[in-house]
Amino acid sequence: MKASRKILVLGSGFVSAGFVNYFVQHGETNVKLTIASNLVDQAQKLIDEFAPEIGHAIFFDLKDEAANRKLIKEHDVVVSLLPATLHVVIAKLCVEEKKNMVTTSYISSEMAGLDAAAKAAGIIIMNEIGLDPGIDHCSAKAVFDDIHARGGNVTGFVSYCGGLPAPENSRNPLGYKFSWNPRGVLTAAEAPARFLWNGEVVEYDAGETYAHAIPQKQYPGFNLEGVANRDSIKYRELYDIPEAETVLRGTLRFPGFATMVLTFRALGLTDTTEYGDGAAPATWPALLSRVLNVPQDISSLRAAVEAKVQERFAGSQGRVKDALNGLQWFGVFLETTKVDLATRSPIDSLTSLLNAKLVYGKGERDLVILTHEFTYQLPDQPRSHGATGKQRKTSTLVLYGDPIGSHRALTAMARCVGIPCAIATHLVLDGVITRTGVCGPMTPDLYKPLLASLAQNGIHLDEFEEDVVES
Ligand SMILES: *[C@@H]1O[C@H](CO)[C@@H](O)[C@H](O)[C@H]1NC(C)=O
């Protein structure tokens, strides 16, 4: 029998449930899990539901360095599922205590700065091993390396990922539901974006990215839009595909999301400035009156809102109508729609409204979709009549969550983020992953065992290939 191995999991959100469940499913009775959280009741509930045999909950305070050092010392590997900005504090302790660490977050420059120290300590700080980043990196990098190994060139890479409600649970103006704080989703939608398209750099300013949503045709049965996500161009280097003329990473949404996000912004509802006197307006009409600087009567409010929406959508009547119907659905013109008085700025008040209206109900499911499209050229490619000599490979993952409220229910997002992270942790514990330093899953020693284990755990991308007929 193997000696017992101790995993410290920081954070008790839904991803932690996906993580813990993996080890329970594998019957890993010699693995002991500690879930450390500032919400110790939430952690205990998670243990009771998912891992009563192998887990226990403990209170955790990021500021209590002495306690955290002791906790880290007592474990073999540390998994941080905390908000990304909090990883570095933990990573520094892991370096000092020579303990391996795993996160699902993008590598921040502060984290990258720990690379030499981590190598000197002989530990790995493995990051970017959730869904995106995570499964997307592993699956894309495996294809790039294969094309290069066959002497080919990658000419294009277009990748979209989205966490959505199941289509039958998407009936609201955004076609979207929140399983965590909407503020992050709203802030992400405000970000500028840049990508490479047929050799040209395309850039969208902050707040404008969602004005360029592109209908997606991957599946006739899914009505999807894709929106560019921040800086795609740096992935030419990160993925080592300098020859690529198209590089675009984006987010998938159902139609309606882009229109409503643009509408909220046009009305000033994504403004982060605190209310002047510190107090939120009592009702939504009062809030609209304040942000639009018009009297609070219904006809003034409607006229001001319609003018902003007409301007935003340049008079495109379909979108203007969708926007106005959407606002109506949220009840923003009704005195009975109260503003959450604990909120301090328009974006916080909006976040609170979205949180209240766009929740998953009992029995509803979420959905994760990941799609990659690779275009590439291999040496001595036979050119059939009319073909360009280029080939296209499409890889897709579509995964549904369990109905909310059922016993041991896991959302698709909890699975798609928690399982890769758990697999990486398992491979580190088993000594299959031996690399040291700060890294993501970009190299074959990491992505090969990760992809193999993901497939064994029901997460694999369907692939198909075709010739590109027109360029
Ligand atoms: C790949 O690109 C290089 C540089 O442009 C070119 O010389 C080579 O022929 C290309 N290979 C294929 C298979 O198209």
Side-chain angles (χ1 to χ4, degrees):
M1 195 178 134
K2 283 186 267 182
S4 112
R5 296 174 300 172
K6 297 195 181 116
I7 305 173
L8 175 61
V9 182
L10 304 175
S12 53
F14 64 93
V15 172
S16 303
F19 182 96
V20 167
N21 191 58
Y22 166 90
F23 284 98
V24 174
Q25 298 247 293
H26 280 254
E28 286 283 352
T29 47
N30 66 330
V31 165
K32 298 283 175 242
L33 289 155
T34 305
I35 313 281
S37 172
N38 60 343
L39 305 170
V40 72
D41 290 348
Q42 189 188 53
Q44 188 58 53
K45 219 174 133 227
L46 194 156
I47 296 288
D48 292 345
E49 185 171 4
F50 288 95
E53 309 285 321
I54 62 171
H56 76 280
I58 191 170
F59 177 76
F60 165 82
D61 171 10
L62 189 72
K63 291 192 210 78
D64 190 346
E65 189 188 310
N68 296 340
R69 186 184 295 279
K70 181 163 173 288
L71 207 50
I72 288 168
K73 264 189 181 155
E74 292 165 358
H75 290 82
D76 299 306
V77 60
V78 178
V79 180
S80 178
L81 299 172
L82 301 171
T85 51
L86 308 182
H87 295 327
V88 171
V89 177
I90 301 298
K92 284 179 179 160
L93 291 176
C94 286
V95 166
E96 286 169 27
E97 300 303 329
K98 299 188 166 45
K99 300 288 182 178
N100 294 310
M101 179 172 172
V102 180
T103 88
T104 59
S105 307
Y106 285 104
I107 299 171
S108 65
S109 51
E110 253 190 305
M111 184 63 102
L114 293 177
D115 183 51
K119 284 191 174 120
I123 64 156
I124 184 169
I125 302 179
M126 171 94 199
N127 303 274
E128 306 193 358
I129 190 62
L131 168 61
D132 71 328
I135 297 172
D136 61 344
H137 286 343
C138 294
S139 49
K141 199 61 177 111
V143 172
F144 299 141
D145 286 356
D146 176 59
I147 292 167
H148 286 161
R150 289 151 74 194
N153 290 331
V154 176
T155 51
F157 176 58
V158 178
S159 175
Y160 287 104
C161 190
L164 297 159
E168 66 274 27
N169 301 137
S170 68
R171 187 157 36 196
N172 68 56
L174 282 82
Y176 194 79
K177 293 199 176 188
F178 292 95
S179 43
W180 66 93
N181 192 344
R183 193 174 166 153
V185 176
L186 289 174
T187 318
E190 295 268 292
R194 61 199 293 266
F195 59 91
L196 201 60
W197 196 258
N198 293 332
E200 309 239 356
V201 174
V202 181
E203 290 183 279
Y204 302 140
D205 291 339
E208 285 305 304
T209 305
Y210 277 73
H212 302 272
I214 308 162
Q216 298 296 308
K217 307 279 182 215
Q218 291 91 339
Y219 294 94
F222 278 120
N223 190 9
L224 296 165
E225 289 182 346
V227 199
N229 185 8
R230 298 182 194 257
D231 182 11
S232 294
I233 297 176
K234 68 180 181 196
Y235 283 88
R236 207 154 56 145
E237 198 182 314
L238 287 169
Y239 286 148
D240 193 21
I241 44 169
E243 72 275 29
E245 292 168 349
T246 293
V247 181
L248 169 59
R249 294 171 85 248
T251 305
L252 290 174
R253 293 287 181 249
F254 290 131
F257 189 92
T259 299
M260 291 313 295
V261 161
L262 292 167
T263 301
F264 294 145
R265 181 181 165 90
L267 298 180
L269 296 174
T270 53
D271 190 356
T272 56
T273 318
E274 294 210 354
Y275 297 119
D277 48 12
T283 66
W284 269 85
L287 195 159
L288 284 180
S289 152
R290 178 148 355 165
V291 294
L292 295 166
N293 200 21
V294 292
Q296 203 183 313
D297 65 278
I298 187 76
S299 55
S300 304
L301 286 180
R302 279 191 184 276
V305 165
E306 190 165 339
K308 291 280 186 200
V309 171
Q310 289 279 6
E311 187 188 339
R312 169 70 259 185
F313 299 115
S316 154
Q317 289 319 311
R319 294 192 84 180
V320 168
K321 194 159 161 264
D322 287 347
L324 295 174
N325 287 343
L327 291 168
Q328 185 101 17
W329 187 91
F330 282 101
V332 298
F333 298 113
L334 299 174
E335 290 293 335
T336 48
T337 310
K338 305 292 179 203
V339 172
D340 176 355
L341 292 179
T343 57
R344 291 269 167 275
S345 62
I347 193 171
D348 286 339
S349 303
L350 176 63
T351 297
S352 179
L353 183 73
L354 298 184
N355 239 342
K357 297 263 184 183
L358 305 181
V359 287
Y360 282 96
K362 196 166 157 36
E364 295 190 334
R365 295 182 302 164
D366 74 328
L367 163 69
V368 159
I369 305 181
L370 169 65
T371 73
H372 292 319
E373 189 184 282
F374 307 89
T375 324
Y376 57 98
Q377 210 143 16
L378 294 175
D380 311 320
Q381 196 60 26
R383 286 183 189 215
S384 50
H385 178 70
T388 58
K390 282 186 190 168
Q391 279 177 290
R392 184 181 294 139
K393 182 199 277 275
T394 311
S395 314
T396 57
L397 170 74
V398 176
L399 200 137
Y400 287 83
D402 302 323
I404 305 285
S406 56
H407 183 56
R408 294 173 66 95
L410 285 173
T411 61
M413 199 50 103
R415 273 187 218 284
C416 287
V417 181
I419 293 175
C421 180
I423 289 171
T425 306
H426 205 170
L427 293 171
V428 166
L429 277 175
D430 281 353
V432 175
I433 289 178
T434 53
R435 173 180 290 265
T436 60
V438 173
C439 58
M442 298 288 193
T443 48
D445 58 317
L446 301 178
Y447 68 67
K448 280 189 178 162
L450 283 162
L451 285 170
S453 184
L454 280 167
Q456 284 164 12
N457 286 280
I459 299 180
H460 73 99
L461 282 75
D462 290 328
E463 295 190 340
F464 79 96
E465 295 187 50
E466 60 189 334
D467 290 336
V468 180
V469 177
E470 83 276 53
S471 59

